[in-house]
Amino acid sequence: MTAKQLCETDKKVFEKLRNFQMNNSFKKIGWTIVIVSVLLVLSGKFFEEPQWFKTIFRNLILIGLLTVSFSREKIEDEMIRHFRGISYRLAFLLGVLYAIIHPYLDYLVDLLLNMENPKIEASYFQIFLYMFMIQIAFFEVMKKRGA
């Protein structure tokens, strides 16, 4: 395989990855996964469940939101793609800011409330949940307003 053929093959693979989206019907599946998983995580507040149970269903929440995020709209045109790109950039920017600022705010609140061992930490679940919710919310708002 020549260098030119290799570059063309890489370009085709990159285009497939760049334009990857699931069918619109996956949006309903994603929301179903999210709702059921949230209910099961909340049930852990009333019943004693092992930590792995909570972790699995938190990960399922993220998988459901990822499915919603990557699902195509019924009418997918240039404007929708533009809104999707803007919402991903905004979610990334706000997610990074959240990941940087949130642990220090938690630490400060713990200090003010006289907690014994305040820690500076953030979980992957909080950060990804925040990013997905920002992306989906801003995408839906932009889509409704058509701005």
Side-chain angles (χ1 to χ4, degrees), residues 9-24:
T9 303
D10 286 348
K11 191 184 282 187
K12 287 178 186 176
V13 169
F14 178 72
E15 279 300 311
K16 282 183 182 179
L17 289 174
R18 190 174 74 94
N19 294 323
F20 174 75
Q21 284 186 304
M22 296 179 203
N23 194 340
N24 182 262

Side-chain angles (χ1 to χ4, degrees), residues 24-43:
N24 182 262
S25 60
F26 280 91
K27 192 171 279 199
K28 290 178 185 173
I29 294 169
W31 282 121
T32 303
I33 291 170
V34 170
I35 291 167
V36 169
S37 298
V38 165
L39 291 174
L40 288 169
V41 167
L42 290 177
S43 74

Side-chain angles (χ1 to χ4, degrees), residues 58-74:
R58 279 184 166 187
N59 287 337
L60 281 174
I61 290 170
L62 294 178
I63 290 169
L65 289 171
L66 182 66
T67 303
V68 170
S69 179
F70 276 112
S71 294
R72 221 181 270 278
E73 293 298 308
K74 287 182 181 175

Side-chain angles (χ1 to χ4, degrees), residues 15-22 27 69-90 135 138-140 142-143 146-147:
E15 279 300 311
K16 282 183 182 179
L17 289 174
R18 190 174 74 94
N19 294 323
F20 174 75
Q21 284 186 304
M22 296 179 203
K27 192 171 279 199
S69 179
F70 276 112
S71 294
R72 221 181 270 278
E73 293 298 308
K74 287 182 181 175
I75 299 172
E76 189 79 24
D77 59 5
E78 288 297 317
M79 185 172 69
I80 295 294
R81 286 186 180 158
H82 179 70
F83 292 160
R84 194 180 303 278
I86 290 171
S87 66
Y88 279 122
R89 285 192 298 270
L90 189 59
Q135 188 275 321
F138 275 96
F139 177 69
E140 292 297 325
M142 286 188 284
K143 192 173 70 173

